[in-house]
Every structure is written in C-alpha cells, then in structure tokens.
C-alpha cells in the first residue's frame, strides 16, 4: 500500500552531522572509507562461510546472515548521506524517508533478533552438547532465520505506519543524517502523545525481549562453564562464545549509550553524532571481531588465500 502523505510535504531536509562546508570533504572521505570497509569485510565473511565446508555449522550460518543484515543496515543510511554531501543537497523525498525508516528498522531489528538466535545457539552448544546436532538441525536453523526476518519486517512496518500517520507543517529540517522516527515525531505539528507511547512500547517489546533472551542464555552458559572442572575446558568454552559476546556488548552498549545520552542531553546534533557508533561503527567492526578472535575463520581465510595463490 502506498504511504499516505497527510500534509502535502514532498520532502525533508537532512541536516547531517555538520553544516560547515570545510567539514564536508572530510566527512565524505571518512564515511565512504567506513562504508567500503564494512561491505568488503562482511562480504568476505559470507564468502568464507559459504565456500568452506568446515564452516557449514549453525553458528556460521547465523553469522553469515548477520553479516548480510549488517550490509543492509549500513547501506540504508550512509549512501544517501554520501550522495547529499557530494551533490551539496540535503533533501530526501517523503516516500524515500519512509522507505529509509522501513529498511533501517528492518535490518536493525534483524541484527537484534539474529544476535539473540546466536545466543540460543551458543546456549545449546555449551549447555546441551550431546543433543546439539539433533536440535540445531538445518531445518530449525532456516526456520529461526525466517522467523527473525518476519519479526523484523513486522517491527519495521509498525514504525512506517506510525510515521505515515504524522502531520507535518512547515518545519521539515531533520537534525540527523537519516530519517529517524523520534526526530520525525519532534517535527510533527499534530498531537504526538500516542505516537510517543507506541514508540516506547515497540522499543520495549522488540528490544527488551531479545536482550532478556540473551541475558538468560549467557546466565545459563556461565553457570555451565563454571561447573567445568578443567581450566582448559573453561577456556575452550569461553573462547567459543567470546566473539559473539563481544559483538553483543558492542551492539547493545553503543545503541543503549546513544539513547541514554539523548535522554540526558537535549542536543539533537550530539545524538546524531553518537548514533554513528551503532549505525556505522558496529557493522564495520563485526567482521574484524569474528575474524581476529575466531580460529576457524582464520584457517578458512588461509585456505582460500592458499588456493588463489
């Protein structure tokens, strides 16, 4: 269904991270480099996982889907910002803004749910190793990814539906580098109390439930590891989930830090700068965390490089 523009607003203006002309070339080069590094790193993870039969396991299947979600996540916001900087334009069409909201929350929520699914996979591998291969079969793994996608799609459509019902007047300047629903709600000239309540409810459900699942999984994982008698067994168990735990801390630490800082600070510009951490930096660092901390990924990369040379 085509989104309905209730006020005749044809476009918004994305003010970006800085309006200083001297900063534009630096921002363009910096974000272009970060974008290319992110896409290349995550594509490399997908290539390694799909081409090496040793990595055809549930953990790496979920990892390749996480990498795909990271590419979509950063591609929703950064290319538009780069185009605006290059063309010295700040505009984004109304329909384009809603499309950006849709894909931003689709891939952001998919990241969120996939991290929860990976925590469940780690829980099964460490706490129930004898039943792991039976329970985490290919059919269940595929179903979990499919369910993750539909949950994310539901959340994104709820966000778009909420934004499409807002009334906008003359103020169409968004103090951000992408169309963020909280910023759009601030620009609305109608009563937004229901929208704010819905925004917090959606955030509590689609953010609180995954975090609760991850905390439950790692509580059980740590409890199981502490019962292991040998120090070598404890180290092996911790190293197994070390990469995933690092990504979880990075993703939730930066995103929660942004929202907490925005609640304390009234500066929208500072919030936009802080949001770079979880929208750009986190997807860029994920491939490095998994490749540097994971022996299987390192060995697979070495095998691919040896075949190409």
């Amino acid at each position: 269904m085509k989104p309905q523009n209730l006020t005749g607003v044809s476009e918004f203006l994305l003010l970006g991270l800085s309006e200083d002309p001297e900063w534009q070339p630096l921002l363009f080069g910096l974000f272009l480099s970060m974008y290319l590094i992110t896409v290349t790193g995550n594509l490399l993870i997908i290539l390694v996982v799909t081409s090496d039969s040793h990595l055809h396991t549930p953990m790496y299947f979920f990892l390749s889907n996480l990498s795909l979600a990271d590419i979509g996540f950063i591609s929703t916001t950064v290319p538009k910002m780069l185009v605006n900087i290059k063309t010295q334009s700040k505009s984004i069409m109304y329909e384009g803004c809603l499309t950006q909201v849709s894909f931003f929350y689709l891939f952001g929520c998919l990241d969120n749910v996939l991290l929860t699914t990976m925590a469940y996979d780690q829980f099964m591998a460490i706490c129930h190793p004898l039943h792991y291969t039976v329970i985490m079969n290919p059919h269940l793994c595929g179903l979990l990814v499919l369910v993750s996608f539909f949950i994310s799609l539901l959340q994104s459509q709820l966000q778009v539906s909420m934004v499409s019902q807002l009334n906008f007047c003359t103020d169409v300047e968004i103090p951000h580098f992408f169309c963020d629903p909280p910023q759009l709600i601030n620009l609305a000239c109608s009563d937004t109390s229901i929208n704010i309540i819905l925004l917090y409810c959606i955030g509590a459900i689609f953010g609180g439930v995954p975090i609760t699942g991850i905390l439950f999984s790692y509580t059980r994982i740590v409890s199981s590891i502490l019962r292991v008698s040998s120090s070598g067994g404890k180290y092996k168990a911790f190293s197994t989930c070390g990469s995933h735990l690092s990504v979880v801390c990075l993703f939730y630490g930066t995103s929660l830090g942004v929202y907490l800082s925005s609640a304390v600070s009234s500066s929208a510009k500072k919030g936009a700068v802080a949001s770079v951490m979880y929208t750009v930096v986190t997807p860029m660092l994920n491939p490095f965390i998994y490749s540097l901390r994971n022996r299987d990924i390192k060995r697979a990369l070495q095998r691919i490089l040896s075949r190409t040379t």
Side-chain angles (χ1 to χ4, degrees):
M1 185 175 67
K2 187 178 180 180
Q4 182 184 7
N5 188 346
L6 299 178
T7 58
V9 173
S10 61
E11 65 179 18
F12 294 98
L13 298 178
L14 296 173
L15 300 184
L17 298 175
S18 175
E19 298 182 65
D20 189 346
E22 296 182 358
W23 280 92
Q24 302 310 307
L26 177 61
L27 289 174
F28 182 83
L30 177 63
F31 279 90
L32 178 61
S33 301
M34 295 171 76
Y35 179 71
L36 293 176
I37 291 171
T38 303
V39 173
T40 303
N42 282 288
L43 284 177
L44 188 60
I45 291 289
I46 296 171
L47 174 65
V48 169
V49 171
T50 53
S51 62
D52 196 306
S53 59
H54 297 87
L55 301 182
H56 292 175
T57 61
M59 180 176 71
Y60 295 110
F61 172 71
F62 295 133
L63 174 60
S64 60
N65 281 278
L66 181 68
S67 295
L68 194 61
D70 280 337
I71 293 173
F73 191 43
I74 194 172
S75 297
T76 304
T77 57
V78 173
K80 177 59 180 174
M81 180 178 65
L82 294 175
V83 169
N84 282 3
I85 293 175
K86 192 66 177 177
T87 60
Q88 297 182 353
S89 170
K90 299 177 183 178
S91 66
I92 181 171
M93 299 302 293
Y94 177 83
E95 292 79 6
C97 191
L98 291 187
T99 302
Q100 195 175 65
V101 169
S102 175
F103 282 105
F104 179 81
Y105 279 94
L106 170 64
F107 291 115
C109 184
L110 189 57
D111 254 1
N112 194 7
V113 182
L114 282 174
L115 287 173
T116 310
T117 305
M118 294 172 75
Y120 173 72
D121 176 66
Q122 297 288 348
F123 162 70
M124 293 303 303
I126 294 175
C127 299
H128 303 282
L130 298 179
H131 305 287
Y132 177 74
T133 54
V134 177
I135 296 174
M136 298 302 294
N137 57 74
H139 295 291
L140 178 63
C141 293
L143 180 63
L144 287 173
V145 171
L146 195 62
V147 170
S148 300
F149 175 79
F150 281 112
I151 290 174
S152 304
L153 184 63
L154 173 63
Q155 198 249 15
S156 70
Q157 293 309 302
L158 286 173
Q159 294 283 359
V160 170
S161 176
M162 181 180 65
V163 172
S164 64
Q165 299 304 312
L166 295 173
N167 292 307
F168 299 99
C169 298
T170 56
D171 187 9
V172 292
E173 293 185 343
I174 303 174
H176 218 297
F177 63 93
F178 66 92
C179 292
D180 194 24
Q183 298 295 336
L184 292 171
I185 289 175
N186 291 335
L187 292 181
C189 56
S190 56
D191 182 24
T192 59
S193 56
I194 296 177
N195 299 89
I196 293 173
I197 293 172
L198 285 174
L199 185 69
Y200 280 109
C201 288
I202 293 172
I205 294 171
F206 290 95
V209 173
I211 291 176
T212 303
I214 291 173
L215 290 175
F216 172 78
S217 296
Y218 273 100
T219 300
R220 298 291 300 274
I221 287 171
V222 171
S223 177
S224 297
I225 292 175
L226 291 177
R227 289 199 296 267
V228 177
S229 57
S230 65
S231 58
K234 290 181 180 179
Y235 175 78
K236 184 178 179 181
F238 273 120
S239 62
T240 301
C241 56
S243 299
H244 176 257
L245 190 58
S246 300
V247 172
V248 167
C249 293
L250 183 64
F251 181 80
Y252 288 107
T254 54
S255 56
L256 288 175
V258 167
Y259 281 104
L260 289 175
S261 63
S262 63
V264 174
S265 174
S266 59
S267 174
K269 188 65 68 176
K270 290 182 180 179
V273 173
S275 65
V276 172
M277 287 302 298
Y278 75 93
T279 57
V280 181
V281 176
T282 299
M284 182 184 68
L285 292 181
N286 285 354
F288 292 100
I289 292 174
Y290 274 102
S291 59
L292 293 176
R293 293 180 57 88
N294 194 295
R295 293 180 181 177
D296 294 334
I297 295 287
K298 288 180 181 178
R299 291 168 184 166
L301 280 171
Q302 290 172 355
R303 283 192 288 267
I304 291 175
L305 292 173
S306 62
R307 287 201 298 264
T308 55
T309 54

